[in-house]
Amino acid sequence: MRNNSELTEFVLTGLSHQRGVQLFLFVLFLTFYLIVLPSNILIIITIRGDPHLSSPMYFLLANLAFLDIWYSSITAPKMLVDFFAERKIISFWGCIAQLFFLHFVGASEMFLLTVMAYDRYAAICRPLHYTHMMSRRLCTVLVLFSWLGGFVHSTIQVVLILRLPFCGPNELDNYFCDITQVLRITCADTFAEEMVMIFSSGLISVVCFVALLVSYAFLLSVLKKNSGESASKALSTCYSHITIVIFMFGPAIYIYARPFDEYAPDKIVSVFHTIIFPLLNPIIYTLRNKEITTAMKKVVRRCLFCQKSRR
């Protein structure tokens, strides 16, 4: 395999080689996926169908749920199938596609979380100007820019990977394709490419993470000076958002904001990054929001009633 045009497939090592562990992880991750997928679909249907959930916060939340569906579906289905495969193989272009969409959706979600922090700032600190500051048109533009930023970032990663030659073993020490593993099996000096990738992925993660922490710290300091039910509710919302930020950006910074050397916790951190994190969004953003949970119950009841009527 002298170059990437002759390389046709990669072999994934997976999470474990023990059959019992594989079956346990299959059941566990399948449960996670069967929670993430329907819950995010229900969030989107509820927000789109309820006129009371038309504020910018819910518009952004519906977009976040849509990204979570994508993000959880990039690695989970392939990983679940591979638990029953003796050789976990992914084609070269399948690997490139997985890498592209992982960074595309992941970066878009980071940018969207930053937009959501701005939305909370406008709602809490500038309530009288909130409608003007977060108009539907501006929200749409910010969401589109989030997607565009993710697309540009991911395209840079893919272009750099496609330029590299491969001439050694084609085994990737993980359960999915990512730049940290692909760079390790190239037969060229990848220092320049690695620095660009660290600068791109790492910088996005660190800058967005710091900006979010600073913004939420400011919001918390403002809210703690006020009292009342609305301030208490806003505090709870900020704390839940901070939890999401830590689980989203912590693993990303750990993986991408430093040299891609050999390090053991890579798989464990990747599980949090690709499997567990998408599970937190519907739990935190829906179960802690009475308006959404009430609207979701109405949707479920309506669906059950329609099914009974058909029978």
Side-chain angles (χ1 to χ4, degrees):
M1 293 177 293
R2 297 182 179 180
N3 56 53
N4 56 2
S5 62
E6 297 175 3
L7 182 65
T8 59
E9 64 183 24
F10 291 106
V11 178
L12 304 172
T13 60
L15 290 172
S16 174
H17 298 288
Q18 299 181 11
R19 193 61 180 169
V21 176
Q22 288 183 345
L23 290 174
F24 170 76
L25 293 177
F26 172 79
V27 174
L28 180 64
F29 294 149
L30 178 62
T31 303
F32 286 170
Y33 188 62
L34 292 179
I35 293 174
V36 170
L37 200 62
S39 59
N40 280 300
I41 292 174
L42 183 58
I43 290 172
I44 295 173
I45 293 173
T46 302
I47 293 175
R48 295 280 296 177
D50 194 325
H52 298 97
L53 302 178
S54 59
S55 68
M57 180 182 73
Y58 296 114
F59 173 74
L60 296 175
L61 181 56
N63 281 276
L64 182 65
F66 180 71
L67 287 175
D68 272 338
I69 293 172
W70 268 44
Y71 195 69
S72 60
S73 300
I74 294 169
T75 58
K78 170 66 176 170
M79 177 188 63
L80 292 172
V81 172
D82 282 345
F83 278 127
F84 298 97
E86 288 196 21
R87 293 187 75 236
K88 303 169 177 56
I89 297 174
I90 184 170
S91 67
F92 175 81
W93 290 109
C95 178
I96 295 299
Q98 195 175 64
L99 188 154
F100 172 81
F101 285 108
L102 183 72
H103 283 267
F104 173 34
V105 180
S108 300
E109 194 154 347
M110 288 183 178
F111 293 135
L112 184 61
L113 288 173
T114 307
V115 173
M116 294 178 72
Y118 173 73
D119 172 72
R120 290 300 83 207
Y121 161 78
I124 294 170
C125 299
R126 305 290 296 275
L128 298 178
H129 302 87
Y130 178 69
T131 305
H132 175 71
M133 293 178 65
M134 290 300 294
S135 64
R136 189 58 176 263
R137 181 179 179 182
L138 178 60
C139 286
T140 304
V141 171
L142 291 174
V143 169
L144 290 176
F145 269 106
S146 298
W147 282 66
L148 179 62
F151 178 80
V152 172
H153 160 73
S154 185
T155 301
I156 293 173
Q157 314 299 309
V158 170
V159 169
L160 291 175
I161 289 293
L162 291 176
R163 293 176 60 252
L164 297 174
F166 296 87
C167 55
N170 63 337
E171 185 177 271
L172 302 178
D173 188 22
N174 214 319
Y175 59 92
F176 68 100
C177 283
D178 200 7
I179 56 175
T180 56
Q181 287 82 39
V182 175
L183 280 180
R184 293 173 189 167
I185 63 172
T186 61
C187 55
D189 183 8
T190 61
F191 178 78
E193 287 81 3
E194 186 173 336
M195 289 300 103
V196 173
M197 291 177 180
I198 291 174
F199 180 79
S200 177
S201 299
L203 187 65
I204 289 174
S205 303
V206 172
V207 170
C208 290
F209 181 66
V210 172
L212 285 167
L213 286 185
V214 171
S215 63
Y216 280 118
F218 174 75
L219 290 176
L220 290 175
S221 65
V222 171
L223 290 170
K224 287 182 178 180
K225 296 178 182 178
N226 301 323
S227 59
E229 185 179 351
S230 59
S232 177
K233 184 179 178 180
L235 272 173
S236 178
T237 302
C238 286
Y239 283 128
S240 63
H241 286 200
I242 291 172
T243 303
I244 288 291
V245 167
I246 291 174
F247 274 92
M248 174 67 178
F249 289 88
I253 292 172
Y254 180 82
I255 295 173
Y256 301 114
R258 65 196 188 102
F260 304 151
D261 55 353
E262 296 284 348
Y263 48 94
D266 196 359
K267 292 183 183 180
I268 300 173
V269 177
S270 296
V271 167
F272 277 91
H273 191 49
T274 60
I275 306 297
I276 297 178
F277 165 71
L279 181 67
L280 294 176
N281 279 344
I283 292 176
I284 290 179
Y285 283 106
T286 57
L287 295 182
R288 297 175 61 88
N289 191 306
K290 293 181 180 179
E291 295 172 344
I292 290 185
T293 52
T294 302
M296 288 174 68
K297 289 177 183 177
K298 291 180 181 179
V299 172
V300 173
R301 288 171 187 167
R302 196 179 305 126
C303 292
L304 294 175
F305 178 76
C306 290
Q307 289 181 356
K308 290 180 179 178
S309 300
R310 291 175 182 175
R311 292 177 184 174

